[in-house]
Amino acid sequence: MSDATDILTCANLAIGHGKTVIMNRLNLSLAPGKILAIVGPSGCGKSTLMRALGGLDDPLEGKTTLMGVDLAAAHGQERQDILRRTGFLFQGAALFSSLTLRENIEMPMREFLKAPHKEIHQLAEYKLALVGLADAMDKLPSEISGGMAKRAGIARAMALDPAVIFLDEPSAGLDPVSSGRLDELILRLREAFGTTIVLVSHEIPSILRTADFCVYLDPDTGTMGAYGPPKTFLQAGQSPKVHAFFSQARFD
């Protein structure tokens, strides 16, 4: 059941592409400052759900709220104000290849903040320092590793001090050491700023380290197979399918 203080909710949500429903009857809520992981087999609609929760795509049916606002029904300044309080890391980091890391972080600041050039310059340096890239701020995306690119993408997602950030496969393609560092960064951001984080992932060890709650999308039933703390999905007595997915993925 949702509460008035929940930072995001969905009720009887159906998501998909065009008129094709991928998942329906989705119901969940999340309190501020928590980390939610969206998991399930490939093609089950994880990124589609993330985009619906973040207001980037309208649901096919049902309702989502973000910071108390139904973005599908919101328009104009109200919608823009909520979206400005969110940040996104898309797959592959999606950095502008012709801009330095600092310039990538400055871009949303220049668009939305009424601040002098020098102040924006300093704010961008601060965000990059937060993610451990103080020595790489003048490099181009082609000059850094995949793990550094993901961290730079998170810095850009944090550029406007959002209340919620959405991370699509943040650990995908990273070696275990880089993945572990990214997990530590996610937890550090949550602890330092109270940021609510929604992430799509298939990295079970990472999910167990970081997430407070997890929603498992079941492509066989077309709805959520489980919702709760991820460590409970490893316990006997849970849904056999969910338990098998977490146990096998954990040790692949």
Side-chain angles (χ1 to χ4, degrees), residues 165-196:
I165 59 173
F166 296 85
L167 310 177
D168 197 351
E169 299 281 9
S171 300
L174 300 184
D175 61 83
V177 173
S178 297
S179 180
R181 288 174 179 166
L182 199 63
D183 291 343
E184 292 172 4
L185 171 61
I186 289 169
L187 290 170
R188 196 161 63 244
L189 290 174
R190 191 267 297 272
E191 293 303 317
F193 300 103
T195 309
T196 303

Side-chain angles (χ1 to χ4, degrees), residues 15 55 77 100 119 137 147 215 236 250:
I15 56 171
Q77 193 60 47
T100 66
E119 184 175 334
M137 58 184 62
V215 55
R250 188 184 184 189

Side-chain angles (χ1 to χ4, degrees), residues 21-220:
V21 176
I22 299 175
M23 287 279 149
N24 61 18
R25 305 187 309 279
L26 303 178
N27 295 276
L28 61 86
S29 58
L30 189 68
K34 299 298 183 181
I35 299 176
L36 169 67
I38 303 172
V39 304
S42 298
C44 68
K46 298 186 293 294
S47 296
T48 305
L49 174 57
M50 187 196 79
R51 292 178 63 86
L53 293 175
L56 297 183
D57 293 337
D58 290 340
L60 300 182
E61 294 180 13
K63 178 181 177 180
T64 66
T65 67
L66 184 61
M67 289 172 265
V69 174
D70 178 358
L71 287 180
H75 301 284
Q77 193 60 47
E78 181 185 35
R79 180 180 176 84
Q80 289 302 315
D81 289 344
I82 293 297
L83 291 178
R84 276 187 57 182
R85 297 179 63 198
T86 65
F88 286 85
L89 170 69
F90 299 104
Q91 292 185 27
L95 298 171
F96 292 100
S97 60
S98 61
L99 302 180
T100 66
L101 300 189
R102 175 165 42 200
E103 289 168 340
N104 266 280
I105 280 58
E106 287 178 347
M107 180 169 286
M109 295 178 177
R110 293 188 189 284
E111 183 173 354
F112 294 108
L113 298 182
K114 296 180 179 179
H117 175 83
K118 183 178 180 180
E119 184 175 334
I120 288 177
H121 200 71
Q122 292 172 339
L123 284 171
E125 291 182 353
Y126 170 66
K127 299 296 183 181
L128 286 166
L130 279 177
V131 300
L133 293 175
D135 296 331
M137 58 184 62
D138 292 320
K139 292 184 180 294
L140 294 169
S142 61
E143 299 174 322
I144 60 175
S145 68
M148 293 170 72
K150 292 291 181 70
R151 283 186 279 147
I154 291 177
R156 188 174 64 184
M158 293 291 294
L160 300 177
D161 297 323
V164 187
I165 59 173
F166 296 85
L167 310 177
D168 197 351
E169 299 281 9
S171 300
L174 300 184
D175 61 83
V177 173
S178 297
S179 180
R181 288 174 179 166
L182 199 63
D183 291 343
E184 292 172 4
L185 171 61
I186 289 169
L187 290 170
R188 196 161 63 244
L189 290 174
R190 191 267 297 272
E191 293 303 317
F193 300 103
T195 309
T196 303
I197 299 170
V198 178
L199 59 93
V200 168
S201 181
H202 64 275
E203 305 286 344
I204 300 304
S206 175
I207 291 166
L208 292 170
R209 283 193 295 265
T210 60
D212 299 299
F213 297 97
C214 186
V215 55
Y216 174 85
L217 301 182
D218 185 346
D220 294 329

